[in-house]
Amino acid sequence: MKKYIITTGTVTYAIKGRDLLRRKGFNVKIERIASGASSGCGYSIVLSGEIKDAESLLRSAGIKILEISEKS
């Protein structure tokens, strides 16, 4: 199963996004990302599963997504 890193604008968005996706049955967690690795808040949502449905849910809930990348 592929893993994705969803970089959000703030840690609040990361927490709200994680909670929303968990309620919808997604396997997610929050991880601290390396300083300077991104323009985000330093926290990202790590998702195992289908990214299209998760991205749609986050955007419809008003969660600001800065970047989505595949985790190796």
Side-chain angles (χ1 to χ4, degrees), residues 20-66:
L20 170 67
L21 292 174
R22 280 186 177 167
R23 284 193 305 271
K24 297 295 184 176
F26 287 89
N27 181 14
V28 294
K29 62 182 178 176
I30 293 179
E31 282 187 2
R32 179 105 170 111
I33 55 175
S35 176
S38 155
S39 60
C41 62
Y43 289 89
S44 292
I45 301 167
V46 178
L47 166 78
S48 298
E50 181 56 47
I51 189 65
K52 289 188 180 207
D53 293 338
E55 181 182 4
S56 177
L57 282 169
L58 292 172
R59 290 194 190 278
S60 67
I63 306 293
K64 183 177 180 183
I65 298 172
L66 299 179

Side-chain angles (χ1 to χ4, degrees), residues 1-15:
M1 186 178 297
K2 290 186 180 182
K3 289 190 176 187
Y4 296 93
I5 299 172
I6 304 168
T7 304
T8 60
T10 67
V11 68
T12 302
Y13 281 142
I15 292 168

